[in-house]
Amino acid sequence: MGRNSLKGQVKISGAKNSALAIMAGTLLCDDDCRLNNMPCLSDINTMGLVLASLGVKIKKMTSSWEFNSRNLKAEKAPYDLVSQLRASFFVIGPILTRLGVAQVPLPGGCAIGSRPVELHVRGLQAMGANVTIEHGVVNASVKGSSGRLKGANIFLDYPSVGATETIMMAATLADGVTVIENAAKEPEIVDLANFCNSMGAKISGAGTDSIVIKGVERLHSTDYEIIPDRIEAGTFLVAGAITHSEILVTSVNHDHLIPVIAKLSEIGCKVIQEDKNILRTIPGELRASDIETLPHPGFPTDMQAQFMALLTISEGNSLVTETVFENRLRHVAELKRMGANIKVKGNSAHVVGVPMLSGAPVMATDLRASAALVLAGLAADGKTIVQGLQHLDRGYQDLEQKLQGLGAKIQRLQDYQP
Ligand code: UD1
């Protein structure tokens, strides 16, 4: 049920996208790796299954997981798992650099676009890998008798998060120095670099355009804490804004949220840093604003759908342009079912703010779209029923419990029949 204000505080979980890349990173080391602040999400469980299929021993203790990949196998990761989770392709770099050979199925497309991996592949080739793609599987092996990748200078045509992660991980155990130019600068890249360095890797420059990795022969055991999820945090900040509520969002890193906080302030909801890891929303009148998604430190594509929900009730005309993914405006049709006034042309959506949304049954099309529909439901008049919660469960830990803790009238319906 919508239109009631929220109050209180909500604690943010560990970052899904960091955790996924870092789980792949545990393959770099044949000793125990302990990861703390792991979010409890279906994507994380799927990645765990991928690693287990490769011979990794995993112990789960709520938010801490232990990995041991002493017996890592150069076997093909199972397609049914890789196809469910694109990030599982990221295992290719660590397996190749450790074992000299790797076979990983192509992840294929997904709801938000075709999502190719040629930048990952070209990076590995530049480091001396022989790569063939046959029957939908990427087969990579290291040329030469040393069985070791060689450091290389790699310029990425686009600052792809996944390609930067694949190349960075592969380079940690390569022979010589690798430089990645036009690297992705997302906080998750910095987290992965810090994790690798905690195992003895020599990576500098993560978070800038140019990352330098000096290869080492071996990495050692580590105990590492995943950063907070900036997208989950941003989603709750939008929940405060869209319900005109003052809420505290805790266990966050303010610096990771600068583009989101700046845009919220432009729209009319101030966000103040209450304490080192605590943000407070100060609600206000909502005004239209234009948004263009860009690689970090630009506005994150993973927050586009949630902000679109907010702009549907912000006074005036907003233009939302998606530049990172080709097919990431599918939530528009569902928001329109709730009374939003939006027209899509190409990769842009023109949103004219309406005074109020009205609750309706809607269907989540992907992870962030599902969050956008929940946010819209919080602000709408009447009851909204969001279906397709398997998308939500990929990336939001306990979303309904966390919102209930803030006073939202939300519940998960078991066995709902439309
Ligand atoms: C990661 C995030 C995802 C986020 C995205 C952009 C994870 C698990 N997922 O995805 O939530 O939305 O960053 O911030 O961390 N591309 C190519 N060729 C390639 C690789 C990418 O053309 O070889 C294109 C993609 O199709 C897309 C764009 O580059 O259009 C961005 O992709 P990328 O930065 O690689 O995103 P992911 O790592 O897949």
Side-chain angles (χ1 to χ4, degrees):
M1 295 296 287
R3 300 204 70 204
N4 65 309
S5 55
L6 307 179
K7 63 173 189 303
Q9 54 177 299
V10 59
K11 185 171 181 290
I12 298 308
S13 302
K16 169 180 81 82
N17 288 349
S18 269
L20 290 171
I22 290 175
M23 286 172 83
T26 65
L27 301 179
L28 291 166
C29 159
D30 62 7
D31 218 335
D32 290 340
C33 288
R34 184 184 170 103
L35 301 182
N36 307 305
N37 200 27
M38 289 281 280
C40 179
L41 300 168
S42 64
D43 270 7
I44 298 293
N45 290 334
T46 308
M47 190 65 163
L49 293 175
V50 172
L51 298 190
S53 77
L54 296 166
V56 180
K57 293 262 174 305
I58 301 177
K59 257 196 250 163
K60 290 191 212 174
M61 295 144 291
T62 52
S63 64
S64 292
W65 291 35
E66 272 175 19
F67 301 83
N68 186 297
S69 61
R70 187 164 302 122
N71 299 321
L72 177 66
K73 296 183 282 196
E75 272 174 25
K76 187 172 74 177
Y79 174 69
D80 61 327
L81 293 175
V82 177
S83 61
Q84 281 175 45
L85 177 65
R86 203 189 124 78
S88 54
F89 186 77
F90 302 173
V91 298
I92 194 165
I95 301 178
L96 180 64
T97 201
R98 232 188 94 193
L99 303 180
V101 52
Q103 289 178 287
V104 185
L106 279 167
C110 70
I112 61 176
S114 66
R115 306 187 80 172
V117 289
E118 85 287 355
L119 296 173
H120 304 235
V121 168
R122 272 197 255 143
L124 296 175
Q125 285 171 325
M127 297 170 76
N130 214 339
V131 183
T132 58
I133 301 178
E134 278 163 24
H135 309 296
V137 176
V138 180
N139 302 293
S141 58
V142 181
K143 300 175 213 164
S145 55
S146 76
R148 227 173 141 192
L149 289 168
K150 294 222 170 342
N153 286 346
I154 298 166
F155 179 88
L156 291 178
D157 289 345
Y158 183 88
S160 152
V161 173
T164 303
E165 291 171 342
T166 291
I167 297 165
M168 191 162 79
M169 288 190 277
T172 57
L173 294 176
D175 181 15
V177 177
T178 299
V179 181
I180 311 174
E181 299 284 2
N182 198 28
K185 295 181 281 203
E186 273 68 3
E188 293 75 21
I189 300 286
V190 179
D191 206 24
L192 177 63
N194 289 340
F195 163 74
C196 292
N197 285 342
S198 77
M199 297 192 294
K202 294 201 161 21
I203 304 175
S204 57
T208 73
D209 295 307
S210 178
I211 302 179
V212 179
I213 306 116
K214 291 187 185 142
V216 296
E217 296 218 350
R218 182 164 185 272
L219 297 176
H220 56 71
S221 162
T222 187
D223 189 328
Y224 189 81
E225 172 110 359
I226 307 282
I227 57 168
D229 196 307
R230 65 195 168 103
I231 306 302
E232 187 196 11
T235 302
F236 277 100
L237 293 176
V238 176
I242 205 167
T243 57
H244 303 280
S245 307
E246 194 170 317
I247 59 170
L248 290 174
V249 183
T250 73
S251 295
V252 294
N253 185 325
H254 169 273
D255 292 354
H256 297 167
L257 284 154
I258 288 171
V260 167
I261 291 173
K263 194 49 79 177
L264 274 173
S265 155
E266 210 176 293
I267 294 172
C269 177
K270 295 246 167 318
V271 176
I272 54 171
Q273 190 171 2
E274 187 91 351
D275 205 344
K276 188 163 171 272
N277 299 320
I278 303 181
L279 298 175
R280 180 189 290 275
T281 55
I282 309 288
E285 288 304 307
L286 300 173
R287 300 175 297 265
S289 173
D290 293 344
I291 291 180
E292 184 176 44
T293 63
L294 288 169
H296 193 79
F299 186 87
T301 173
D302 287 350
M303 286 302 302
Q304 179 258 108
Q306 301 89 315
F307 268 74
M308 174 114 52
L310 180 63
L311 293 172
T312 62
I313 55 162
S314 300
E315 196 186 340
N317 296 298
S318 303
L319 189 66
V320 178
T321 306
E322 173 59 53
T323 75
V324 178
F325 289 108
E326 65 208 20
N327 189 18
R328 207 172 196 181
L329 293 172
R330 297 206 303 163
H331 40 280
V332 167
E334 301 302 305
L335 290 170
K336 283 170 81 168
R337 290 172 54 78
M338 300 177 71
N341 182 350
I342 311 175
K343 281 200 181 74
V344 172
K345 197 166 179 200
N347 62 348
S348 291
H350 178 215
V351 185
V352 182
V354 295
M356 201 188 298
L357 295 174
S358 65
V362 284
M363 181 59 82
T365 48
D366 63 66
L367 166 56
R368 304 304 168 187
S370 63
L373 296 173
V374 170
L375 292 170
L378 293 176
D381 185 35
K383 185 159 59 172
T384 298
I385 296 179
V386 181
Q387 293 182 69
L389 294 189
Q390 72 279 10
H391 296 294
L392 193 77
D393 294 337
R394 294 184 59 178
Y396 288 93
Q397 178 175 335
D398 304 328
L399 184 71
E400 67 270 21
Q401 286 94 325
K402 289 186 182 187
L403 283 170
Q404 280 162 2
L406 292 170
K409 293 190 180 141
I410 180 170
Q411 57 178 315
R412 186 174 287 247
L413 303 176
Q414 307 297 343
D415 308 322
Y416 171 73
Q417 300 289 338

